[in-house]
């Protein structure tokens, strides 16, 4: 009981800090302008746009979409072939900006915004042609939920459809004033090897299009404190083949 309570308090604490960080970021930095990670869409996602454009009325899901850094370019690319992008995020600040930006970039009709926790969002089997989740899956409450969400993503993808994931692993946070190592504010902080093994197991029988592990470092603010965030970001892009059993 005590353990469950500690785990719950930990998740509440992480969610509060992550909300503060993202609310500030989405308010301060503009999409597609220099100065933050909102500057450009993720290359692995952009590279898949020609594939999605070939599909008639493609259905795309963006889990933890934020303000639309990746979904807006996708929406622009599939607007003329009747496509739809469903964007899921749990923060009002993200979804409000997503709607504003989708008006600015003239894709309001293509984007559907859903306020939900990724861990509770239900994906119907064979519903989507393309599912992306960039730096968001590691924020579901537990490792079990993490696996279940990815299994649902796999089952929710049509044959020949694609899943594109970027997941942070081995995340460390260091107080830049004191050099002290802090608790990383990541609900599911797996070792890179364990993460890759899980992904390979869930997506067995899919065609692997890209696996890449990048060491990245950012300076972020946690409250007033400057904090160095170190991560090994795993990019994993897979295509569902006819022989996939999920
Ligand atoms: C680092 S941002 C990345 C946003 C976007 N994927 C991108 O690449 O620009 C992570 C986003 O995931 C959202 N998020 C985190 N945990 C979530 C959860 N459990 N359910 C839904 N959204 C979540 C956050 O609110 C935030 O907008």
């Amino acid at each position: 009981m005590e353990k469950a309570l500690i785990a719950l308090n930990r998740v509440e604490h992480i969610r509060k800090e992550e909300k503060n960080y993202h609310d500030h970021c989405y308010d301060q930095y503009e999409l597609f302008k220099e100065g933050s990670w909102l500057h450009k869409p993720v290359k692995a996602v952009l590279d898949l746009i020609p594939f999605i454009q070939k599909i008639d009325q493609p259905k795309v899901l963006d889990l933890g979409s934020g303000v639309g850094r990746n979904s807006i370019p996708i929406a622009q690319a599939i607007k003329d072939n009747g496509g739809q992008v469903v964007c899921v995020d749990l923060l009002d600040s993200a979804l409000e900006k997503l709607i504003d930006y989708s008006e600015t970039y003239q894709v309001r009709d293509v984007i559907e915004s859903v306020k939900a926790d990724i861990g509770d969002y239900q994906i119907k089997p064979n519903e989507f042609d393309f599912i992306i989740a960039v730096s968001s899956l590691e924020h579901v409450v537990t490792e079990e939920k993490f696996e279940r969400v990815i299994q649902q993503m796999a089952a929710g993808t049509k044959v020949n459809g694609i899943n594109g994931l970027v997941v942070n692993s081995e995340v460390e946070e260091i107080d830049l004033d004191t050099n002290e190592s802090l608790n990383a504010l990541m609900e599911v902080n797996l070792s890179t090897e364990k993460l890759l093994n899980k992904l390979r197991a869930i997506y067995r029988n899919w065609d692997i299009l890209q696996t890449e592990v990048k060491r990245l470092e950012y300076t972020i603010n946690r409250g007033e404190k400057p904090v160095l965030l170190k991560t090994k970001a795993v990019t994993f892009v897979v295509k569902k083949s006819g022989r996939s059993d999920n």
Side-chain angles (χ1 to χ4, degrees):
M1 176 69 190
E2 189 144 324
K3 259 192 178 170
L5 207 64
I6 291 169
L8 195 69
N9 287 342
R10 182 178 163 269
V11 169
E12 268 175 20
H13 172 67
I14 295 174
R15 296 235 160 146
K16 187 167 154 265
E17 291 294 323
E18 280 289 290
K19 177 178 179 331
N20 289 344
Y21 167 73
H22 283 95
D23 284 353
H24 176 79
C25 198
Y26 294 151
D27 183 51
Q28 289 297 304
Y29 300 106
E30 207 175 321
L31 185 63
F32 307 138
K33 295 270 156 65
E34 274 184 49
S36 77
W37 52 270
L38 292 171
H39 178 202
K40 284 184 192 161
V42 166
K43 185 172 179 304
V45 173
L46 281 186
D47 288 348
L48 294 168
I49 285 185
F51 157 81
I52 317 170
Q53 273 177 316
K54 285 193 198 132
I55 303 166
D56 186 39
Q57 299 186 321
K59 267 207 95 177
V60 179
L61 174 64
D62 185 354
L63 293 172
S65 62
V67 298
R69 176 169 70 122
N70 302 303
S71 10
I72 286 181
I74 296 173
Q76 287 175 315
I78 62 174
K79 181 180 168 165
D80 292 337
N81 45 345
Q84 190 72 28
V85 188
V86 179
C87 294
V88 178
D89 204 290
L90 47 66
L91 287 185
D92 288 322
S93 61
L95 296 174
E96 282 160 15
K97 289 273 179 190
L98 169 71
I99 289 169
D100 289 350
Y101 288 129
S102 67
E103 272 160 13
T104 308
Y105 289 95
Q106 299 176 355
V107 288
R108 183 67 200 95
D109 293 350
V110 188
I111 288 196
E112 182 190 335
S113 65
V114 178
K115 184 175 174 178
D117 187 321
I118 294 167
D120 301 328
Y121 181 74
Q122 295 296 313
I123 308 172
K124 292 194 198 103
N126 299 313
E127 196 182 358
F128 291 98
D129 297 284
F130 185 44
I131 303 182
I132 59 169
V134 175
S135 304
S136 54
L137 292 173
E138 55 276 47
H139 287 294
V140 297
V141 283
T142 59
E143 199 174 319
E144 291 71 36
K145 199 84 171 203
F146 176 83
E147 269 183 40
R148 243 179 292 146
V149 171
I150 302 176
Q151 278 156 356
Q152 263 204 48
M153 289 169 64
T157 307
K158 297 176 191 169
V159 169
N160 292 323
I162 287 185
N163 285 186
L165 289 71
V166 178
V167 185
N168 292 292
S169 63
E170 298 184 16
V171 179
E172 295 173 69
E173 295 194 17
I174 297 157
D175 185 324
L176 280 171
D177 289 334
T178 61
N179 235 4
E180 182 195 353
S181 179
L182 306 168
N183 284 327
L185 296 184
M186 204 63 66
E187 287 86 335
V188 180
N189 191 8
L190 300 176
S191 76
T192 311
E193 194 188 344
K194 188 169 182 189
L195 171 61
L196 283 169
N197 286 340
K198 263 189 207 299
L199 295 177
R200 288 188 191 115
I202 295 172
Y203 289 107
R204 64 187 176 275
N205 295 332
W206 287 50
D207 298 326
I208 297 184
L209 305 183
Q210 185 184 352
T211 313
E212 196 180 354
V213 180
K214 272 192 230 150
R215 283 173 192 271
L216 299 173
E217 292 189 5
Y218 307 93
T219 300
I220 61 165
N221 282 327
R222 292 287 186 204
E224 296 302 303
K225 262 195 250 174
V227 166
L228 180 69
L229 190 145
K230 291 184 174 187
T231 170
K232 288 191 193 162
V234 173
T235 301
F236 196 77
V237 182
V238 278
K239 181 172 179 188
K240 191 171 195 171
S241 66
R243 62 184 195 286
S244 302
D245 53 3
N246 44 21

